[in-house]
Amino acid sequence: MGHMDILISGAGIAGPALAFWLRRHGFNPTVVERAPAIRHGGYAIDVRGAAVEVAERMGVLADLQAARTENRGMTVVDSARRPLVEVRMDELMGDDGDIELMRGTLSRILYERTDDTEYLLGDSITGIEQHADAVRVTFEHHSPREFDLVVGADGMHSTVRQLAFGPEAGFRRYLGYHISIFSVENFLGLDRWTEVYNTPGRLAGLYRGARTDAGAKAILGFKSPELRFDPRDPQTQFALLDKAFTGGWEVPRLLEEARRAPDFYFDSISQIHLDDWARGRVVLLGDAGYCPSPLSGQGSSLALVGAYVLAGELLAADGDHRTAFRRYEAEMRNFVTQNQNVATEGAKTLIPKTATGLWLRNQVFRLMSHFPQLNGMSKGIQNAANAINLRDYAPAP
């Protein structure tokens, strides 16, 4: 295998997880990240199934468990905030060892476990030039460098994918919804609880982010034809939210709070589908290669498992990237497909399109404690989350 320098673009979940395993297996990873610092905060994510096993093999499972949000359940309310139905979280999502925690917390834990890795923060890749034995990479700020391999772990709007595979439009599949998430005060006094207000094709909600978090997270989601907007222009995004939501519950306040939030996020709910995840010495990981969308709840788990498999296959192939990339895809493809497929059930549960659909969803919630088999979303997610047998990759000598 020798000495292999591997550049990873993205320091969210997939990037640091891959850096951890590459370093353990004897490779030399470098991570480049556009943000000037590791992002904290963010929204709640889940680590499920095979990803829990990966976390245990990394030695971070106890850290993840200690940071769990302990969200106890959810109340669906009407426009006057009268409760319509309550459902416990173990009824809604099952209780199979899953861990819910804040995305920024998971990112920080992984970053701290890779303190022996070089991070180029506040920079981004501007060019990728592949040669027979190396990849020449140019950066926005740092001088050009050569690497043996480049990994795009830079999210759904991946720069690496754009440079090596082509325009995003050829790979992004819009699922019919847009979503906004941002921090607000916990003005409803929620205690490890979520409150949700629906109208047909609309979702507004508030949940307390973590046990130690004095604030809360707001979420606004809506069904619509795909909208065109400048991702760097929040004023346009605020206007789209104003147009999508008319009022009821705490919606007017949330629309105003969005304008003051330091971490306002708005995007389409989409998936990424590619026939191949590698081009020469460039390979994609996590959302960059196979984003399942927030409706699946499986993006972070796919990132953790994908990082483990990619690094392991590079080790097993003794650094032969052609063999490793082929085996990485063979191991991951069915797992990715099953996890992307659960997004459809997630949409039906979170944002029903019709008044009838909302009524039926609420009836299922009411019966769930007596008839857990009615919860098709939980069963589908658990099956998908465990749809891979993790190989035991031999440690480096």
Side-chain angles (χ1 to χ4, degrees):
M1 178 172 63
H3 177 84
M4 290 192 73
D5 295 320
I6 301 177
L7 177 65
I8 304 166
S9 178
I13 305 301
L18 179 63
F20 173 92
W21 289 111
L22 289 176
R23 178 67 73 181
R24 174 171 289 192
H25 294 331
F27 299 95
N28 181 37
T30 296
V31 181
V32 59
E33 165 59 42
R34 181 186 301 274
I38 300 300
R39 295 184 176 95
H40 298 290
Y43 45 87
I45 55 91
D46 294 282
V47 177
R48 296 190 178 101
V52 175
E53 175 65 22
V54 169
E56 185 171 26
R57 296 184 186 190
M58 294 179 76
V60 300
L61 182 57
D63 296 322
L64 270 57
Q65 291 171 332
R68 65 168 73 233
T69 63
E70 295 187 353
N71 191 358
R72 299 179 295 127
M74 178 176 72
T75 302
V76 180
V77 299
D78 67 10
S79 61
R81 209 191 165 200
R82 292 183 293 256
L84 299 176
V85 61
E86 284 189 357
V87 59
R88 297 196 315 270
M89 196 55 60
D90 61 339
E91 296 171 350
L92 182 63
M93 299 308 301
D95 187 16
D96 295 308
D98 299 348
I99 303 169
E100 183 187 70
L101 72 164
M102 304 308 290
R103 186 183 187 279
T105 302
L106 177 56
S107 181
R108 174 184 55 79
I109 290 171
L110 297 175
Y111 176 68
E112 290 173 351
R113 293 301 180 102
T114 56
D115 58 1
D116 56 352
T117 295
E118 178 187 21
Y119 278 80
L120 308 178
L121 298 176
D123 206 350
S124 60
I125 296 174
T126 58
I128 294 174
E129 185 179 303
Q130 296 205 51
H131 301 282
D133 57 353
V135 185
R136 186 177 187 272
V137 178
T138 54
F139 300 93
E140 187 174 353
H141 300 298
H142 284 82
S143 300
R145 289 169 60 175
E146 285 196 348
F147 298 88
D148 295 289
L149 305 173
V150 174
V151 181
D154 45 351
M156 183 172 74
H157 304 299
S158 168
T159 297
V160 170
R161 189 186 63 235
Q162 172 85 17
L163 292 170
F165 291 73
E168 179 180 298
F171 312 114
R172 186 171 61 83
R173 185 177 301 176
Y174 176 59
L175 298 187
Y177 302 84
H178 291 76
I179 190 171
S180 179
I181 302 173
F182 48 92
S183 296
V184 297
E185 293 182 18
N186 186 13
F187 58 85
L188 295 182
L190 300 176
D191 178 17
R192 294 167 294 162
W193 201 264
T194 300
E195 191 164 302
V196 167
Y197 169 64
N198 284 108
T199 56
R202 302 288 184 272
L203 163 74
L206 198 71
Y207 64 92
R208 186 182 179 194
R211 290 171 298 167
T212 58
D213 190 353
K217 300 295 179 181
I219 179 170
L220 296 168
F222 60 96
K223 181 172 178 59
S224 76
E226 186 167 9
L227 303 173
R228 304 297 178 186
F229 59 92
D230 185 344
R232 296 163 297 184
D233 179 13
Q235 296 303 320
T236 300
Q237 298 163 35
F238 298 148
L240 293 174
L241 288 174
D242 290 342
K243 184 177 180 180
F245 290 89
T246 56
W249 185 60
E250 300 287 349
V251 169
R253 176 166 183 172
L254 294 185
L255 292 173
E256 288 300 318
E257 293 284 353
R259 290 165 163 80
R260 293 188 288 269
D263 56 354
F264 175 77
Y265 167 85
F266 180 91
D267 207 344
S268 70
I269 293 183
S270 302
Q271 293 182 338
I272 297 297
H273 293 260
L274 291 97
D275 293 333
D276 301 288
W277 298 334
R279 288 286 187 275
R281 292 178 171 270
V282 178
V283 66
L284 301 176
L285 172 66
D287 281 357
Y290 35 85
C291 174
S293 89
L295 289 174
S296 74
Q298 285 296 90
S300 297
S301 291
L302 285 181
L304 288 172
V305 174
Y308 173 81
V309 173
L310 176 56
E313 292 298 341
L314 281 167
L315 173 68
D318 197 30
D320 178 353
H321 67 277
R322 297 178 185 85
T323 299
F325 292 169
R326 185 172 65 251
R327 290 176 178 172
Y328 158 63
E329 184 167 341
E331 289 288 316
M332 289 289 295
R333 180 64 74 171
N334 176 64
F335 182 58
V336 165
T337 299
Q338 292 203 39
N339 281 281
Q340 289 184 322
N341 288 344
V342 301
T344 301
E345 196 65 37
K348 293 178 183 177
T349 301
L350 298 174
I351 317 179
K353 295 183 290 186
T354 65
T356 300
L358 283 169
W359 183 86
L360 288 172
R361 189 274 312 272
N362 290 346
Q363 303 316 305
V364 170
F365 281 176
R366 290 190 178 95
L367 295 170
M368 211 173 281
S369 61
H370 303 290
F371 304 98
Q373 64 270 23
L374 292 173
N375 190 352
M377 185 176 75
S378 174
K379 182 178 179 181
I381 288 177
Q382 291 300 332
N383 288 341
N386 291 282
I388 187 172
N389 293 318
L390 297 174
R391 292 181 57 190
D392 289 320
Y393 297 102

